[in-house]
Structure formats: structure tokens, C-alpha cells
Amino acid sequence: MTPRHSETEGTGPEEPVVVRDRRRVDPQTGEVRPPAAEETPAGEEPSGPSLGDSAEEPATVSSSDVEKQLSERTADLQRLQAEYANYRKRVDRDREAVVQGAKASVVGDLLPLLDDLQRAEQHGDLTGAFKAVADKLVSSLQRAGLESFGDEGEEFDPSVHEAVQHSTSPDVKGPTVTLVMRRGYRFGERVLRAALVGVTDHEPGEAPAEPPVDGSVGGELPLDGSVDESGQQ
């Protein structure tokens, strides 16, 4: 009988045993190992597409597409700029309206004081230092934008005048303010208070008498055959 080991004779040297440590954590340091690249046996080409095949060819963009995108971006920028400009104008307008409203509210609270000063001036009590202070107050309010209205002789305007008395006269051509009971005030374009006035409307006079009608025409006798005072026909 042939020994068993004699069957393996002539087969050549045995391949070395390779042990690969695929553990993700190093048992000695405790750190995570980076992923190891797969080894390729010698003499074999790496599988998969080559480097030249994986590179994509650059996409070609026509000049018309570039101009179209540029025009769209320009239009978007212009629209955004216009919206921002309108927003700033609206904010400035609202801010100015708030400021004017606050000023008008303060001035409106001082109108009774101006009425007292006006009555004191009409009675001759506004003199001396009191008059100097009153003049400074009125001047300051006028510089701020306060304006008074409601003088005799003005044309009646129902938007700023409140008529509490009405009369007629042939001396006026239309509705006219002939009596001012309380002056009105406006601040800028805002009417703070209407003026209390008496209005006189036009009253047409008596119509002139018509001249007598002469029956004769061109010096001829009347057609009805009547005679005049001299007895002539």
C-alpha cells in the first residue's frame, strides 16, 4: 500500500495563508480604523468603469440660454428694486402722516385758549406782557402750520363754514359770510374746526316798471281808428 503522503508529491509548494484583520475598531488603541481599500490580486485589472469612463463630459450651454437667464435675473432684480423703492416711499409717507396727526392733535387742544385770547383782544384786555406772550404763542402755532379762516366778506363754503344764521340782501351777489361767531382753523390740509358764521344770500330787487306802449307805428294813426286829445282822427 502506498503511503498517503505520497499522493501529494509533485503538486508544488503550498500557498501562504493570509489573515486580514477587518475589525473596525483597533483592539489596542480603541480608535475607529478608516475603511480599508479592497486589495486586488496581482495580475488582475480592477473591476468597474475606468477613470476615463467615469469622468462626465462638460455640458455645452448655448449663448442664447445664457442671455435668457441673464435677462430673467436682471428683470427679477429690477422688480425687487422697484418694490423696495415703493416700500420706502410708503413708509416715509405713513411716518409723515403720523407726525402731522400728532401735531394736529396738540394744536387742536390749544384752540380754546386761542378763542380766549381773541375775546380778550376784542374787549381790550390783551395788553402789556400778556399780549406779548399771546403774540409769541400765535406766531409759533402759525409757523408750525396753523391757519385761521372765517372773516367777514368771505364766500360761503359749506366744507369749512357752519352757517347758524341766514339772511338776504341785494348788496351781495351770492352766499357771503357777514357775521363771524367763531373762527375756524386748519392745520396743513386738515380742518381742525369749522367756522360758525352768519350767511347773507342775494335778494333780487324790484323789477323796473315797463314803459307805456305807444299804439302808433312810425307816426301813423292807430289801426283801430281812435283819435287823440286834439280831436283829430
Side-chain angles (χ1 to χ4, degrees):
M1 176 179 279
T2 306
R4 183 178 296 178
H5 62 82
S6 63
E7 296 178 359
T8 60
E9 292 180 358
T11 59
E14 296 181 357
E15 295 181 0
V17 178
V18 180
V19 178
R20 296 184 178 88
D21 188 0
R22 299 181 181 275
R23 291 177 293 183
R24 299 295 302 276
V25 180
D26 193 340
Q28 296 181 0
T29 61
E31 298 179 355
V32 179
R33 295 176 178 175
E38 295 183 356
E39 298 181 359
T40 304
E44 295 184 4
E45 295 293 334
S47 60
S50 61
L51 181 60
D53 297 337
S54 61
E56 298 180 356
E57 296 182 358
T60 57
V61 181
S62 61
S63 59
S64 60
D65 295 338
V66 174
E67 293 178 356
K68 181 179 179 181
Q69 294 179 3
L70 180 60
S71 62
E72 291 177 355
R73 299 299 182 271
T74 303
D76 294 341
L77 181 60
Q78 292 176 350
R79 182 170 60 254
L80 182 62
Q81 186 177 4
E83 291 177 357
Y84 179 70
N86 294 334
Y87 169 75
R88 287 194 59 183
K89 291 180 181 179
R90 184 170 62 254
V91 170
D92 294 340
R93 184 171 59 253
D94 294 343
R95 184 186 298 111
E96 183 66 20
V98 171
V99 172
Q100 292 297 324
K103 290 182 179 179
S105 178
V106 174
V107 174
D109 295 337
L110 297 177
L111 295 185
L113 176 60
L114 296 180
D115 294 339
D116 295 339
L117 295 177
Q118 184 180 2
R119 283 191 290 266
E121 184 179 8
Q122 292 175 354
H123 290 83
D125 298 334
L126 194 63
T127 58
F130 184 38
K131 185 177 185 306
V133 174
D135 293 341
K136 289 182 179 180
L137 175 62
V138 174
S139 299
S140 299
L141 294 177
Q142 289 177 350
R143 286 195 301 269
L146 182 65
E147 180 183 359
S148 62
F149 60 87
D151 296 326
E152 295 182 1
E154 290 182 354
E155 183 180 358
F156 176 72
D157 186 358
S159 63
V160 295
H161 297 145
E162 183 178 351
V164 295
Q165 183 177 342
H166 183 268
S167 60
T168 57
S169 174
D171 299 333
V172 296
K173 297 180 179 181
T176 306
V177 176
T178 55
L179 178 63
V180 179
M181 303 177 184
R182 189 187 66 183
R183 297 182 64 84
Y185 291 94
R186 65 167 59 93
F187 189 82
E189 299 180 354
R190 179 180 304 183
V191 177
L192 299 181
R193 188 180 69 184
L196 293 179
V197 298
V199 182
T200 300
D201 205 350
H202 175 68
E203 179 183 4
E206 296 180 358
E210 297 181 357
V213 179
D214 188 1
S216 62
V217 180
E220 298 179 356
L221 293 176
L223 298 178
D224 55 359
S226 60
V227 295
D228 55 7
E229 296 178 355
S230 61
Q232 298 178 356
Q233 185 173 1

